[in-house]
Amino acid sequence: MGGAGCRGSWLGCGKGRAMAGLCWVMLLHAVLGQECGTLYEVPQCREDCGSCGANPCCAIEWQMDSMTPEAVSNTLLSSIGRGGSDGLYELKGHHPNYAFINVDLKDEAPYNLQVVHMPEEYAADDDALAAGRYDDITISIYPLPGGGSRAVAFSRTRTATVFYQCDQGTNYRGLANMMVDAQVSSYKERLLYGCPEKTPGTVPV
């Protein structure tokens, strides 16, 4: 099992709900106390600087061996429907009469979710709001042949102005926080693209 940020390697997360949530909360508090993009940023920052053209982005894959695609979808929908961990997530593309199930044409996997997240560090920033500084999130959830499910999650910063070309780690953090708030008890994570984990003491690029 590889470390986080190793492309093609899996990171195991969350043996139990309480412990998984506690670990992530501790890491995220540490991140918020650091300056992303500096020489000694903490590895969990996962800042991205324009991996998708001029836009910062992050693509990761989660594997849940003990949950069906429908269960994963409903769990995430329940969390996002109440605003997520910070109250700043907004569900898109779903009919209001079906708050807890996917509304694809055939109502079967893959289940696709569309979410908009305003990172909390920008939520009270008039300039960021005027510039449309949001992260757009899409998630597709598929069944695994032997049972369980996998989800491909992609987050991209909407605006591509020079000032917001680096995301201060918000794309990765926005994805990770969804899994914490949804209380998915056990999953493995693999980096697909963008949001690299930095080795402390290296210059971010």
Side-chain angles (χ1 to χ4, degrees):
M1 184 180 296
C6 299
R7 196 168 272 106
S9 299
W10 289 99
L11 168 69
C13 302
K15 297 299 183 182
R17 293 184 179 182
M19 184 58 69
L22 177 62
C23 289
W24 270 112
V25 167
M26 291 172 65
L27 289 175
L28 293 171
H29 275 295
V31 171
L32 292 174
Q34 300 287 330
E35 183 67 30
C36 283
T38 60
L39 184 62
Y40 292 100
E41 68 180 16
V42 293
Q44 291 79 18
C45 174
R46 305 288 288 269
E47 181 177 54
D48 189 83
C49 292
S51 286
C52 291
N55 299 74
C57 65
C58 180
I60 59 179
E61 182 178 2
W62 298 309
Q63 181 173 316
M64 288 72 58
D65 293 328
S66 60
M67 296 181 70
T68 66
E70 184 178 9
V72 175
S73 177
N74 289 343
T75 299
L76 289 171
L77 281 170
S78 179
S79 168
I80 297 164
R82 61 176 181 269
S85 58
D86 55 13
L88 297 171
Y89 290 79
E90 184 180 354
L91 189 65
K92 297 290 185 181
H94 291 264
H95 194 282
N97 290 337
Y98 295 88
F100 298 106
I101 63 172
N102 188 280
V103 290
D104 288 343
L105 289 177
K106 295 184 179 180
D107 248 358
E108 59 186 27
Y111 294 99
N112 299 309
L113 309 182
Q114 301 174 48
V115 183
V116 174
H117 181 229
M118 164 59 80
E120 59 181 327
E121 53 263 63
Y122 297 113
D125 185 329
D126 290 339
D127 291 334
L129 292 171
R133 176 47 180 95
Y134 297 91
D135 292 336
D136 291 311
I137 297 172
T138 54
I139 306 171
S140 294
I141 307 166
Y142 303 86
L144 290 173
S149 59
R150 69 181 184 91
V152 177
F154 178 73
S155 179
R156 185 180 69 170
T157 299
R158 185 179 299 177
T159 181
T161 61
V162 172
F163 187 73
Y164 298 118
Q165 194 167 350
C166 292
D167 66 2
Q168 297 187 37
T170 65
N171 281 291
Y172 176 76
R173 193 165 71 243
L175 295 175
N177 276 352
M178 284 195 305
M179 295 296 275
V180 173
D181 190 70
Q183 296 187 337
V184 176
S185 59
S186 180
Y187 61 97
K188 291 183 288 186
E189 178 181 296
R190 181 163 65 107
L191 174 64
L192 299 178
Y193 187 75
C195 56
E197 186 176 43
K198 310 289 196 311
T199 302
T202 59
V203 178
V205 294

